[in-house]
Structure formats: C-alpha cells, structure tokens
Amino acid sequence: MKRFYLCNNRFYLITVIFCMLPILAIGQEVGFEIRNLRENITSIQTKYKDLNGDYAARIRFAVIDSLFEFDTNMGMLAQERKAGEVSLFVPYKAKRITVRHPKLGVIRDFPLPELQPRVTYDAEIFVPGYTTPDFYIYAGLGFNAISVMGPSAFLGASYKNFQLEAGYVLGLDKVESITFSRPNDPSFVESYDYSCSKFWVRLGYSIGSEAFRVSPQVGVSFNMISGKDANGVSNSGDYFKKSNPMSAFVALRLNLKVVNRLRVYLTPQYDFAIGGDKVFEVIKKGDSKLKAWGEGFGINAGFIYEF
C-alpha cells in the first residue's frame, strides 16, 4: 500500500509541475517594448568620442522611470539622464542594444539601424497597460516671496487634468510701528507691529507632458493680518489690531519632474483684493508691504511629491 501512495504522489507532483510550466513561461515574458526607433534630423554637438577618435551617435529613450539600464555590443561612451528620458552616447558602429529593468525584464541584442556620428535617434520604452493615473494625491512644500514672505505647504488632489488644492503660508516678515490717531481726539492712539499669514484654495488645469507641465490656476486667499502692540505705546483700543481681507488671484504654475513622483515648481501669481474689509482699506495706506499682503504680485517655489 505504501508503494501505491508514493507512486501516486510522484504522479501528482509531475502533473502539477507540467501544469505550472505555462504560468512560469508567462512570468518570464518581458514587460516592455522598444518602439519608434527613428532618426532625428537635428544633429548634436558632442564632446564624446570613441577610442578611434570618432564622434558618438546619440540614442534618446523616453522612459517611464529611472530604473532602466542600457548597454550596446560596443559599450557606451556616456549617459545623460533627465526627467522622462535617457540619452545614450554610443559608438556609431554599434549594432545591438540590451535594455534591462529590475521588474519588467530584459530585451537582449535589439537590432539598431545603421548609426551615424553626431546624429540623434529617438526611441520609446513602451510598457503595455501603463497609464498615468487619472486620480492621485499630492503635497507641496515651498517658500512664498514678494507678497507674504514665508514657508508654505499645501495638499491637493488631481483628477485627469484638473487639480484642487488648499494651502497655508506662515508669514515671517513684519511691518513695525504703524500708528493711527484722530486729529480731533488726542486720546485715541493705536500703534502695532503687523504680521500676516494666509490660507488659500485654488483650482488648476494641467497642460503638457509627464516631464514638464504648465497649470493655469485661479483661487481665493484668506489673509490673516494681526497686530502686536508696538513698544512704548499704550493703545486706547484695538479697532485696527486685526484684519482679514479676502483676495482672488490668478496664477501660472510651472513644474518639472526631477525623479519618479518628485517635482520642482515655480508659481507666479497676482492677487486682487475683494471682500470689503474696512480695516484693511485703512491700514494698507500705512505701508506698501501691508498692501502687498492683500493685493499685488507674488511668487512661490518649492517641491511637489505625488503619492
């Protein structure tokens, strides 16, 4: 009886292995393709030469991430990596190229066209089924200047080309010793050192490629101007101590992909005062910086991380 079960166990094991062979074979398939390898009519000026003194050819691949590795049958002279692309400087007599990826597999000895020195050839690494996500969350850290000066942070959501985000600027700059009095009332005196932070919400629309995007934006800001009693002044009231003017703005964000999920951005914007805050209408006359906190030109720059 024992031999009977042992024989059956072997039979079952062999059967399972044969059934798994197609699955194992599928697992070995390469998960990407090289497409649209073609000459670019624009010549390049390059310092790279091979051992014979001949100038290199350049093969420029569009890629989805920075994990692809490349080699030709004659080696490579140099690589230059930028957001979304890799430029390979290779001996122009190279005939084949091998491309590797730690998760997607290997394409070995892919045939190259007859290369020419100092000529660029463009190609695409195509990953079937890969698409840019329609929806994702992102966060940003930066610094605001010209208007309210200080660090900023924001959190946003993107759906297709639309973005909705909310952010905060912690104001660091101050306007000191702004004093208010009444000609007919010598007892009325208020003097403050002012600072300002702001909260904002904006809606944007992204235009461009995965590597570089331009996003026109509109939004509103809630500007929180607060005063601290100036030294040496005994205030008779606090009417001008706080002001919360609203402003609407238009902006244009420029952002560039640095590495996977990380971008740098620059956002100039212009604020228009709205909301009819009577205190702000008075205190903004005391200093041009106070006015700039609620209306005028500003700029923000920093980093964005996409989750």
Side-chain angles (χ1 to χ4, degrees):
M1 294 295 290
K2 291 183 178 180
R3 291 182 180 179
F4 174 79
Y5 284 113
L6 180 60
C7 180
N8 275 276
N9 288 340
R10 289 176 178 174
F11 174 77
Y12 292 145
L13 179 60
I14 294 171
T15 302
V16 169
I17 292 174
F18 273 97
C19 290
M20 290 183 65
L21 285 177
I23 299 175
L24 295 173
I26 292 173
Q28 298 301 313
E29 290 182 357
V30 178
F32 65 95
E33 303 172 13
I34 298 175
R35 288 187 174 184
N36 302 322
L37 181 56
R38 62 199 181 279
E39 180 180 342
N40 188 312
I41 60 173
T42 304
S43 295
I44 60 169
Q45 302 296 321
T46 176
K47 61 184 179 181
Y48 300 113
K49 295 182 179 180
D50 61 19
L51 295 177
N52 296 321
D54 295 323
Y55 280 103
R58 178 170 69 169
I59 307 174
R60 183 169 55 190
F61 283 96
V63 295
I64 62 169
D65 61 35
S66 60
L67 300 179
F68 287 94
E69 298 178 357
F70 305 86
D71 197 11
T72 75
N73 64 302
M74 297 188 68
M76 286 193 300
L77 303 177
Q79 288 189 42
E80 292 180 359
R81 292 180 178 266
K82 298 180 180 179
E85 71 175 34
V86 179
S87 290
L88 312 175
F89 296 87
V90 305
Y92 80 92
K93 294 181 181 180
K95 301 298 182 183
R96 297 177 301 278
I97 188 168
T98 296
V99 184
R100 300 180 177 87
H101 191 279
K103 297 181 180 179
L104 300 176
V106 181
I107 294 179
R108 300 183 187 276
D109 297 328
F110 184 85
L112 295 172
E114 186 174 345
L115 305 177
Q116 298 297 324
R118 307 182 76 181
V119 173
T120 295
Y121 298 82
D122 289 325
E124 175 189 1
I125 300 293
F126 174 75
V127 180
Y130 175 83
T131 58
T132 302
D134 283 343
F135 177 83
Y136 60 88
I137 304 295
Y138 60 92
L141 290 174
F143 194 85
N144 206 72
I146 301 179
S147 55
V148 175
M149 186 83 69
S152 65
F154 56 87
L155 183 66
S158 176
Y159 178 70
K160 294 187 177 179
N161 293 86
F162 291 94
Q163 295 92 38
L164 178 65
E165 62 186 50
Y168 181 80
V169 179
L170 177 63
L172 301 179
D173 52 342
K174 299 182 182 297
V175 177
E176 298 181 341
S177 300
I178 302 298
T179 303
F180 306 93
S181 61
R182 295 174 183 170
N184 299 326
D185 186 1
S187 65
F188 180 87
V189 177
E190 291 185 29
S191 185
Y192 300 104
D193 298 334
Y194 285 107
S195 61
C196 179
S197 295
K198 65 169 58 188
F199 172 80
W200 48 258
V201 177
R202 68 182 68 206
L203 177 67
Y205 186 84
S206 181
I207 304 169
S209 64
E210 175 67 13
F212 179 74
R213 298 173 185 166
V214 178
S215 302
Q217 299 174 329
V218 295
V220 292
S221 295
F222 183 69
N223 306 296
M224 295 164 284
I225 301 175
S226 61
K228 180 181 179 181
D229 294 354
N231 290 332
V233 178
S234 178
N235 291 332
S236 58
D238 60 1
Y239 182 78
F240 295 105
K241 190 170 186 177
K242 293 183 179 180
S243 176
N244 301 120
M246 297 281 292
S247 58
F249 62 82
V250 293
L252 185 69
R253 176 173 294 161
L254 312 174
N255 71 74
L256 177 69
K257 186 174 182 179
V258 180
V259 294
N260 191 29
R261 298 182 180 272
L262 183 66
R263 296 176 173 273
V264 293
Y265 74 89
L266 177 69
T267 309
Q269 73 178 50
Y270 193 89
D271 288 72
F272 304 89
I274 59 174
D277 188 304
K278 294 181 179 180
V279 174
F280 180 68
E281 292 301 317
V282 175
I283 67 175
K284 74 178 184 180
K285 299 176 182 178
D287 191 279
S288 60
K289 184 178 289 187
L290 280 168
K291 181 178 180 180
W293 287 347
E295 57 188 50
F297 181 75
I299 195 166
N300 190 281
F303 297 91
I304 295 174
Y305 185 81
E306 298 174 347
F307 297 96

